[in-house]
Amino acid sequence: MTDRFAERMRDKKVRSDTRIVAGLAAIYCAAKHKDRERPPLESDASRLGVYGRRVPRLCEECAAHIRYAEKRRAYCPRDPKPFCAHCDTHCYKPDESEWQRQMMTYAGPRSMWHGYAIPGIKHALEARKWKREMARRADHEARSAGNTDDAAR
C-alpha cells in the first residue's frame, strides 16, 4: 500500500464510493457465487478500516475485482469524479469494466433491499444531472460549430 493510496482513502467521498462498490459486489457475489467460499475481504482499503464493521464477504474472484476497483477509485484523476460510464477518461481495463457493468446491472436494482436505497436515489439523480450537462455541452458545441461555419462564409 502506498502513502498516496492511504491519503486518498481518507477522503470522505472516496471512502463512500469504495464502500458502495464493494457492497454491491457482495450482493452480486452472494447470488452468483453461492457455492464458493466467501471470507471477509482482505484488501488495502479493508486494512485502513474503510469498511468499518461491514467488511464485505466475497469469493476470491470478486475480491480481486474489488481490490482493482479500490485502486482505480483512489487514483482517479477526475475531481469531482463522474460515474465511470459518463467519464471521458477510461482507467479500467476492458475486462474489469465489463465485470463492473455486469455486477452493477445485477446488484443495482437489488441494492435497495440491502441498505443502499439512499445511495441508489442519489446515483439516479446524479446520473440525470450528468445527462443534462452532457446534452447542454453537446448543444453548446453544435452552436459553436455553427457559428464558425457562418464566419467561414
Side-chain angles (χ1 to χ4, degrees):
M1 172 181 0
T2 66
D3 290 341
R4 183 174 171 221
F5 180 86
E7 179 184 333
R8 290 294 295 144
M9 281 295 162
R10 284 193 278 276
D11 182 286
K12 183 179 175 183
K13 180 70 171 143
V14 173
R15 290 174 75 89
S16 174
D17 289 350
T18 302
R19 279 193 300 268
I20 290 169
V21 168
L24 293 176
I27 294 167
Y28 174 84
C29 189
K32 300 291 184 173
H33 303 146
K34 292 177 193 174
D35 57 331
R36 298 180 188 178
E37 184 180 341
R38 295 189 323 272
L41 174 65
E42 290 187 25
S43 68
D44 290 343
S46 66
R47 283 187 276 286
L48 290 169
V50 168
Y51 303 109
R53 293 189 317 237
R54 288 185 68 179
V55 178
R57 301 183 73 83
L58 303 170
C59 69
E60 187 51 43
E61 177 189 345
C62 292
H65 288 296
I66 291 305
R67 287 184 202 105
Y68 181 84
E70 289 173 354
K71 287 180 177 49
R72 294 294 71 179
R73 179 58 186 103
Y75 300 127
C76 181
R78 306 296 301 270
D79 191 27
K81 183 195 179 308
F83 297 133
C84 293
H86 302 293
C87 189
D88 57 355
T89 305
H90 298 290
C91 54
Y92 271 73
K93 293 185 283 188
D95 61 323
E96 292 288 344
S97 183
E98 178 59 22
W99 183 86
Q100 285 280 339
R101 188 191 63 74
Q102 287 177 0
M103 180 270 296
M104 288 186 182
T105 298
Y106 179 84
R110 293 161 178 83
S111 65
M112 67 184 292
W113 290 286
H114 295 273
Y116 294 95
I118 297 202
I121 292 167
K122 287 180 180 179
H123 180 79
L125 292 173
E126 194 172 328
R128 185 174 167 197
K129 178 179 148 186
W130 188 258
K131 286 177 185 176
R132 283 187 190 153
E133 176 63 19
M134 291 291 96
R136 187 192 64 75
R137 287 182 188 179
D139 184 48
H140 179 72
E141 288 174 12
R143 288 183 189 176
S144 295
N147 291 341
T148 57
D149 289 344
D150 292 340
R153 291 183 200 168

